[in-house]
Amino acid sequence: MLRAIRGEDVERPPIWMMRQAGRYMKVYQDLCKKHTTFRERSETVDLAVEISLQPYEAFKPDGVILFSDILTPLQGMNIPFDIVKGTGPIIFNPVREMDDIKSITPLEPEKSVPFVGESLKVLRNEIGNEATLLGFCGAPFTLASYIVEGGTSSHYKVIKKMAFDSPAVYEALMNKLTDAVIEYTRYQADSGAQVVQIFDSWASEFSPADFEVYCLPYLQRIVAECKQTHPHVPLILYSSGSAGFLERLATTNADVISLDGTIDMADARARLGMDQAVQGNMDPLHLFASQDFITKKVHETIAKAGNKKHVMNLGHGVMVGTPEENVGHFFKTVRDFRY
Amino acid sequence: MLRAIRGEDVERPPIWMMRQAGRYMKVYQDLCKKHTTFRERSETVDLAVEISLQPYEAFKPDGVILFSDILTPLQGMNIPFDIVKGTGPIIFNPVREMDDIKSITPLEPEKSVPFVGESLKVLRNEIGNEATLLGFCGAPFTLASYIVEGGTSSHYKVIKKMAFDSPAVYEALMNKLTDAVIEYTRYQADSGAQVVQIFDSWASEFSPADFEVYCLPYLQRIVAECKQTHPHVPLILYSSGSAGFLERLATTNADVISLDGTIDMADARARLGMDQAVQGNMDPLHLFASQDFITKKVHETIAKAGNKKHVMNLGHGVMVGTPEENVGHFFKTVRDFRY
């Protein structure tokens, strides 16, 4: 994966899947019966490691991503939350006013979320040089959307109104979150993550013009400051529904732009140029189709991506209910492929 | 609006709003207390007319769209449904197999949904030449998504699996729906609709390559066959999240491509060319911001769209909870504008 991202010759694209560890796997669901809360599973080193390795053992992906959540670091910033089955994230005291923002504390990951670093260290030891270890974090806007809305949102009314009408409050919150994301990314890299993926999943809720004002400067600062201290740790940037602002995403200088399914791989390559490494972007629903269909889509995607700077992935997280044998077929088809 | 769509000189862009009639208006909510079901309100001529005219009286838009639903014609095709407050559409017998499709009957709108034509006739009389009357319909895939999934869906698993793995079933369903959409569009035009907007709202659930296979041919047939009989009735085509396949949407030959907020208006104009009429595309959330902010966004959008072939609109339906005074300001700002 590292060679592919750098643009060196590789025999085939490396492959991993977003949400690679989790609910679509029976071994995970079995483990959930004993360890019933998401926070226990993601914040206990042994469990987080075990879960992260489940798909590695089953499918031999080229990347192993830590089992965690983008909200995990919030507990280190005095933002209490929970992740409730069937409901999703809940922020107990949504942040709305300047006073709320003052109570947010700087993130010191080694103190508040030490299990993240420890899990990464164990994982790095386990997988050696057989696969690349990925860390991840939420981008400031995506984190802010949960913190301000109080949980999952369908229209992002509160945070967008804050951005439009109370820019000083919005900027204060975003700056604090940007500092935390930088700190957290560096911490993960120091703990063994060889690549870190930044999820600005909901940035596309903004129009491209608004994205430039309300997301881009913070993303640019994250990339710039992480590159200063960790120039050799590639950063992957993902936003769902980014077809309308792909070029703008690339101006963050992230090493890899992770494409979702709303853009054709060939169009993305034409728009971004072959020097921009890309990741993606098969439709997660393709994995519900027949294996012949999956094979065809894998080969189409690779053909459109060209023979360098491409990390194979889905365009979104693998879905609950995806047949595991189809996931296996997806990985095998890519592993068997040669440029 | 008609002059703008044809590319004639106009002094400012015409304006209307998707979901212009409905829940964000207090007069509508008051009416709902007496007439409690969506189907009563949308299928009774006097009520549908009254509701369609509520925003016309309040805001003087340049377009008046019939208060209806994309599912309305399904009752004329032997597909029983309801629209339940808080839940959305429910299809009582989801269509999954070839046998289910055989039971779908051809649409004869004047027999099964005569209230649609009657409402359009009354509306056309009421508004005269003061505004343009718009009809609308759902596109085949968007209709099929409800019919197959059984209602609103978040992942479109069933219909996409049908498309990928059972193309003969999918095509049979889509062909029947395409016939119905053509019939229904012609019927609305014959009843007084001067423009018809086709909503393929969920087409962007497909990757652009899949869109070409599973949506585009049906949309092309609709435009071609409606143009044969009604060459002077412009067709507007809307799909949410279409930034990744804008050029493909334009190959339907629809007169107007309605843009959602995920694409910058200037980028859309550059990609489609100024000869392609476009509609949109302010973020509905902008209408929750201050009036100064709204003014700025209106002027930005118009400036990016250029001085012809632009119909001002939101990028998505106006949202419940939008302050009516802000909607008024949005309309007034556009009406007061001069190129």
Side-chain angles (χ1 to χ4, degrees):
Chain A
M1 189 181 305
L2 294 170
R3 286 191 293 128
I5 292 173
R6 288 193 295 257
E8 295 171 19
D9 281 345
V10 286
E11 59 277 17
R12 62 168 175 84
I15 178 170
W16 69 286
M17 281 195 314
M18 289 185 277
R19 293 205 200 123
Q20 179 167 281
R23 283 186 294 167
Y24 73 100
M25 291 188 79
K26 185 171 180 309
V27 284
Y28 176 79
Q29 289 179 335
D30 289 345
L31 183 145
C32 290
K33 287 173 194 158
K34 196 166 161 195
H35 305 284
T36 54
T37 72
F38 183 86
R39 293 200 55 177
E40 181 195 0
R41 296 189 294 273
S42 58
E43 300 182 8
T44 310
V45 173
D46 288 354
L47 293 175
V49 168
E50 180 180 348
I51 295 168
S52 303
L53 291 175
Q54 285 174 344
Y56 179 60
E57 282 152 14
F59 310 119
K60 288 286 166 209
D62 299 305
V64 171
I65 189 160
L66 175 66
F67 181 74
S68 183
D69 192 87
I70 59 167
L71 301 187
T72 298
L74 298 190
Q75 59 194 285
M77 305 174 68
N78 192 30
I79 305 174
F81 74 98
D82 202 0
I83 296 174
V84 180
K85 195 178 170 180
T87 305
I90 295 176
I91 307 291
F92 295 112
N93 306 305
V95 166
R96 303 277 166 91
E97 310 288 340
M98 196 60 98
D99 276 351
D100 303 331
I101 294 166
K102 286 181 187 148
S103 69
I104 298 176
T105 55
L107 179 68
E108 298 176 274
E110 64 287 351
K111 287 188 187 161
S112 53
V113 288
F115 51 84
V116 169
E118 287 166 34
S119 299
L120 286 168
K121 279 177 197 152
V122 178
L123 281 169
R124 184 67 187 278
N125 235 5
E126 289 282 334
I127 62 177
N129 287 321
E130 295 300 303
T132 300
L133 181 61
L134 293 103
F136 73 96
C137 57
F141 172 70
T142 293
L143 292 174
S145 76
Y146 291 102
I147 295 169
V148 171
E149 300 284 341
T152 302
S153 171
S154 53
H155 298 295
Y156 302 85
K157 269 188 208 176
V158 187
I159 187 156
K160 288 171 84 171
K161 189 168 164 56
M162 180 194 282
F164 300 151
D165 282 352
S166 307
V169 178
Y170 180 82
E171 286 163 24
L173 173 60
M174 289 290 284
N175 280 324
K176 278 204 170 184
L177 291 169
T178 301
D179 291 340
V181 170
I182 292 165
E183 191 63 31
Y184 194 50
T185 301
R186 289 170 169 170
Y187 168 70
Q188 292 187 56
D190 289 340
S191 304
Q194 297 162 284
V195 176
V196 177
Q197 176 150 334
I198 300 165
F199 286 87
D200 211 353
S201 307
W202 312 134
S204 58
E205 288 293 322
F206 280 121
S207 70
D210 288 345
F211 170 83
E212 286 183 23
V213 177
Y214 301 114
C215 297
L216 187 56
Y218 308 97
L219 293 168
Q220 286 173 329
R221 179 154 79 86
I222 290 166
V223 175
E225 296 192 18
C226 289
K227 288 287 164 199
Q228 275 175 11
T229 53
H230 296 77
H232 302 301
V233 176
L235 299 174
I236 305 176
L237 179 59
Y238 175 81
S239 175
S240 67
S242 59
F245 58 94
L246 268 193
E247 294 84 353
R248 292 169 175 91
L249 269 188
T251 65
T252 58
N253 295 314
D255 300 274
V256 184
I257 300 300
S258 190
L259 307 166
D260 88 341
T262 63
I263 181 86
D264 190 76
M265 179 59 84
D267 295 341
R269 284 302 215 177
R271 285 169 57 183
L272 297 176
M274 287 295 287
D275 285 339
Q276 173 65 62
V278 294
Q279 176 172 273
N281 71 343
M282 262 176 59
D283 184 347
L285 267 299
H286 286 154
L287 298 189
F288 286 80
S290 70
Q291 296 195 355
D292 282 352
F293 189 92
I294 295 169
T295 303
K296 191 179 128 215
K297 288 294 172 179
V298 165
H299 291 159
E300 272 179 24
T301 305
I302 295 176
K304 287 177 178 179
N307 66 356
K308 65 171 203 168
K309 290 204 166 191
H310 175 222
V311 178
M312 187 69 174
N313 205 317
L314 301 175
H316 207 282
V318 61
M319 285 176 57
V320 178
T322 305
E324 288 185 64
E325 61 274 22
N326 286 3
V327 173
H329 180 76
F330 173 54
F331 277 101
K332 185 174 183 311
T333 306
V334 177
R335 272 203 317 272
D336 289 348
F337 180 86
R338 291 294 174 273
Y339 284 127
Chain B
M1 188 181 304
L2 295 169
R3 287 192 291 129
I5 292 172
R6 287 193 295 257
E8 296 173 17
D9 280 345
V10 285
E11 59 278 15
R12 62 167 176 85
I15 179 171
W16 68 285
M17 281 195 314
M18 289 185 277
R19 293 205 199 122
Q20 179 167 283
R23 282 187 295 166
Y24 73 99
M25 290 189 77
K26 186 172 179 306
V27 284
Y28 176 79
Q29 289 179 336
D30 289 345
L31 183 145
C32 290
K33 288 174 193 157
K34 194 166 164 196
H35 305 283
T36 55
T37 74
F38 182 86
R39 292 199 55 178
E40 180 195 0
R41 295 190 295 272
S42 59
E43 299 182 9
T44 310
V45 173
D46 288 354
L47 293 176
V49 167
E50 180 180 349
I51 296 167
S52 304
L53 291 176
Q54 285 174 344
Y56 180 61
E57 282 152 16
F59 310 119
K60 289 283 166 210
D62 299 305
V64 171
I65 189 159
L66 175 67
F67 180 74
S68 183
D69 192 86
I70 60 167
L71 301 186
T72 298
L74 299 190
Q75 59 195 287
M77 305 174 69
N78 192 30
I79 305 173
F81 74 98
D82 202 0
I83 295 174
V84 180
K85 194 178 172 180
T87 305
I90 295 175
I91 307 290
F92 295 112
N93 306 304
V95 167
R96 303 273 167 91
E97 310 288 341
M98 196 62 97
D99 276 351
D100 303 332
I101 293 166
K102 286 180 187 148
S103 69
I104 298 176
T105 55
L107 179 68
E108 299 178 272
E110 62 290 350
K111 287 187 187 162
S112 52
V113 288
F115 51 84
V116 169
E118 287 166 34
S119 299
L120 286 167
K121 279 177 198 151
V122 177
L123 282 170
R124 183 69 186 277
N125 236 0
E126 288 283 335
I127 62 178
N129 287 321
E130 295 300 304
T132 300
L133 181 61
L134 293 103
F136 73 96
C137 56
F141 172 70
T142 293
L143 292 174
S145 77
Y146 291 102
I147 294 168
V148 171
E149 300 285 341
T152 303
S153 172
S154 52
H155 298 297
Y156 303 86
K157 271 188 207 176
V158 188
I159 187 154
K160 288 172 84 172
K161 190 169 164 53
M162 179 193 283
F164 300 151
D165 282 354
S166 308
V169 178
Y170 180 82
E171 286 164 22
L173 174 61
M174 289 291 283
N175 280 324
K176 278 203 169 184
L177 291 170
T178 301
D179 292 340
V181 169
I182 292 165
E183 192 62 32
Y184 193 48
T185 301
R186 289 170 169 168
Y187 168 70
Q188 292 188 55
D190 290 340
S191 304
Q194 297 162 284
V195 176
V196 177
Q197 176 150 334
I198 300 166
F199 285 87
D200 211 352
S201 307
W202 312 133
S204 58
E205 289 294 321
F206 280 122
S207 69
D210 288 345
F211 170 83
E212 286 182 23
V213 177
Y214 301 113
C215 296
L216 186 56
Y218 308 96
L219 293 168
Q220 286 173 330
R221 180 154 79 86
I222 291 165
V223 175
E225 295 193 19
C226 288
K227 288 285 162 200
Q228 275 174 13
T229 53
H230 297 77
H232 302 302
V233 175
L235 298 174
I236 305 176
L237 179 59
Y238 175 82
S239 176
S240 67
S242 60
F245 57 94
L246 267 192
E247 294 85 352
R248 292 168 176 91
L249 269 188
T251 65
T252 58
N253 296 314
D255 301 273
V256 184
I257 301 300
S258 190
L259 308 166
D260 89 340
T262 64
I263 181 85
D264 190 76
M265 178 59 83
D267 295 342
R269 284 302 217 177
R271 286 169 58 183
L272 297 176
M274 286 296 287
D275 284 339
Q276 173 65 62
V278 294
Q279 176 173 274
N281 67 345
M282 263 176 59
D283 183 349
L285 267 298
H286 286 153
L287 298 189
F288 286 81
S290 70
Q291 296 196 354
D292 282 352
F293 189 92
I294 295 169
T295 303
K296 189 178 130 217
K297 288 294 173 181
V298 165
H299 291 158
E300 273 179 25
T301 304
I302 295 175
K304 288 177 177 179
N307 65 358
K308 67 171 202 169
K309 290 202 167 193
H310 174 222
V311 178
M312 187 70 173
N313 205 316
L314 301 175
H316 206 283
V318 62
M319 286 177 57
V320 178
T322 305
E324 288 185 64
E325 61 274 22
N326 286 3
V327 173
H329 181 75
F330 173 53
F331 278 101
K332 184 173 186 310
T333 306
V334 177
R335 272 204 316 273
D336 289 349
F337 180 85
R338 291 295 175 274
Y339 284 127

